[in-house]
Amino acid sequence: PEPTLPHEHTFGEWQTAKDATCADPGEEVRFCTCGEKETRYTSLLQHFAGEWVIEKEPVIREPTPEDPDAREPGLMCQFCHYCGAKLDEEVIPAIGSLGLAYAVNLDGKTCTVVGIGNCIDTDIIIPPNFCGYHVTKIENNAFQNKTDITSVTLPDTLITIGDYAFSGCTGLTEVVIPDSVESIGTNAFSGCTNLSEITFSKSLASIGDYAFSKCSALTNIVLPDSVIALGAGAFSECENVQTITLSQNLKIIGEEAFRGCRLIASIAIPESVEKMDRDAFKNCHDLTDFHITDLARWCQIDTGVSNSGLASLSSNRIRRIYLNGELLVNVDIPEGTTSIGGHAFYGCKDIVNVTIPSSVQTIGKYAF
């Protein structure tokens, strides 16, 4: 018989049996026609850096003779997204003014800044964490009439700024309200006569009565779309404001909200507005252009005094009304409108034709 020749393996392509990770090597296999398997291992993958995570928050404590600095730094770490290995770490310095007065809130987890305490800083930095409690509120009157304060830095844990919190702080020139803040109280920044720039929180829902009244250095107001309600006199007597951009979700404009903002020339009222109280733009002497989207609604919208949203502007002697971006020349009051308020179109010299439907039952004084 002829001698048997040894079998020579004929292997196919390598196939992945197990993907490599940053913790374990991968595995590839291939097979011969006879069924024999051959295995090889692939290299570990590089770590995939995830987001930085605060492992330990920095803390400000009450200064003592033994520890006058009273600062405990925090730690921020970066971990691998796949295996969780720690890749890097950074120390977070504990930044904040020392000596401020605090009170623990009823939840036992957060605290409120209640006053200046023993702090001698003129550049106030409110820390996010005091003695392990997150700072979520600035109490009513906390810094009222502290004229030597030149700047204030607010933490991103803050939710509420209380009534009169910074009222009369004439040294403030700029305020950045972090996006965590949801409400600003009555007169919170009233009388801050040198406050020229405000960056509003994108979570802000309401601005209290007279919150920024008499902030005479303001020239521009831009409200984020989170704002739903403006309190009475919220920006009254801000005599140098020239432009106002209202929230597109605004529902309530309070009484005298912009009274005395005499340099405003044009205002666009969002379609979302449901109520504009009386004298919202009283004594805005340069306001001549009024932009709206729904004529019938604005003929009757509640102003708390009359049935006309336009009537509440009568003291300004509005000259031009723009409906959906077009100058209102032909006034065609929609069928179903039941009343036209007093002074509704007073002084609108561009109006040529007016059509009033039979549904209208009352027309107020000086309407046209």
Side-chain angles (χ1 to χ4, degrees):
E2 294 184 3
T4 302
L5 298 175
H7 174 67
E8 291 187 6
H9 292 298
T10 304
F11 288 100
E13 298 290 330
W14 288 102
Q15 301 175 7
T16 300
K18 177 185 174 185
D19 288 326
T21 68
C22 49
D24 299 302
E27 188 176 303
E28 293 181 336
V29 296
R30 62 179 182 176
F31 296 91
C32 175
T33 53
C34 71
E36 181 75 15
K37 182 175 75 170
E38 191 173 48
T39 302
R40 69 179 182 185
Y41 295 96
T42 58
S43 302
L44 293 172
L45 296 180
Q46 290 186 343
H47 290 297
F48 181 81
E51 294 183 357
W52 286 89
V53 176
I54 295 177
E55 197 167 67
K56 178 180 179 297
E57 291 190 26
V59 176
I60 298 291
R61 299 188 303 274
E62 190 69 37
T64 64
E66 296 77 23
D67 185 13
D69 187 51
R71 301 174 191 274
E72 187 178 324
L75 187 65
M76 182 166 59
C77 302
Q78 189 178 43
F79 299 91
C80 176
H81 180 75
Y82 294 112
C83 71
K86 183 184 288 188
L87 306 180
D88 201 357
E89 64 180 30
E90 288 185 6
V91 172
I92 309 172
I95 299 174
S97 295
L98 298 180
L100 296 174
Y102 299 86
V104 177
N105 297 331
L106 292 176
D107 61 9
K109 299 177 181 178
T110 61
C111 68
T112 295
V113 180
V114 298
I116 195 71
N118 297 319
C119 182
I120 59 173
D121 294 349
T122 56
D123 296 320
I124 299 294
I125 300 175
I126 298 176
N129 190 310
F130 176 74
C131 291
Y133 300 98
H134 283 156
V135 179
T136 58
K137 182 180 179 181
I138 299 174
E139 186 56 277
N140 299 345
N141 313 101
F143 299 97
Q144 186 178 15
N145 295 328
K146 300 299 181 185
T147 57
D148 55 342
I149 294 177
T150 55
S151 71
V152 60
T153 302
L154 304 176
D156 59 7
T157 55
L158 193 65
I159 297 174
T160 303
I161 299 175
D163 300 346
Y164 293 90
F166 296 96
S167 176
C169 291
T170 54
L172 287 179
T173 59
E174 179 183 357
V175 171
V176 177
I177 299 172
D179 287 341
S180 56
V181 172
E182 298 174 0
S183 64
I184 298 174
T186 298
N187 283 282
F189 293 90
S190 62
C192 293
T193 52
N194 288 302
L195 185 59
S196 60
E197 188 172 344
I198 306 168
T199 302
F200 288 99
S201 161
K202 294 178 182 177
S203 300
L204 186 63
S206 63
I207 296 177
D209 295 350
Y210 304 96
F212 295 93
S213 176
K214 298 182 180 179
C215 290
S216 53
L218 281 177
T219 58
N220 182 39
I221 297 170
V222 179
L223 297 179
D225 287 342
S226 57
V227 175
I228 296 173
L230 281 180
F235 293 93
S236 60
E237 306 302 328
C238 293
E239 58 188 25
N240 287 304
V241 167
Q242 298 177 28
T243 60
I244 298 172
T245 303
L246 297 177
S247 161
Q248 292 305 300
N249 294 305
L250 188 64
K251 293 183 178 181
I252 299 171
I253 300 176
E255 179 181 340
E256 299 185 342
F258 297 97
R259 174 177 54 82
C261 295
R262 55 188 179 84
L263 298 183
I264 302 170
S266 177
I267 191 71
I269 304 298
E271 193 171 355
S272 58
V273 171
E274 298 173 356
K275 180 181 177 64
M276 186 168 76
D277 283 337
R278 66 184 180 88
D279 298 327
F281 294 91
K282 184 178 181 180
N283 295 336
C284 296
H285 298 300
D286 288 353
L287 180 56
T288 58
D289 293 359
F290 184 68
H291 296 257
I292 57 175
T293 58
D294 187 337
L295 183 60
R297 189 170 65 90
W298 273 92
C299 282
Q300 302 180 89
I301 196 167
D302 182 15
T303 66
V305 175
S306 68
N307 289 325
S308 174
L310 297 177
S312 71
L313 296 166
S314 62
S315 61
N316 306 307
R317 301 297 187 258
I318 295 294
R319 291 291 180 266
R320 291 178 291 274
I321 296 179
Y322 291 84
L323 180 63
N324 294 311
E326 297 290 331
L327 180 63
L328 195 63
V329 176
N330 300 305
V331 179
D332 188 5
I333 306 295
E335 184 67 42
T337 301
T338 58
S339 66
I340 300 173
H343 291 85
F345 299 92
Y346 185 104
C348 296
K349 294 184 176 180
D350 292 292
I351 292 176
V352 176
N353 299 304
V354 178
T355 302
I356 301 174
S358 57
S359 59
V360 171
Q361 299 174 14
T362 61
I363 299 176
K365 292 181 179 180
Y366 305 104
F368 296 96

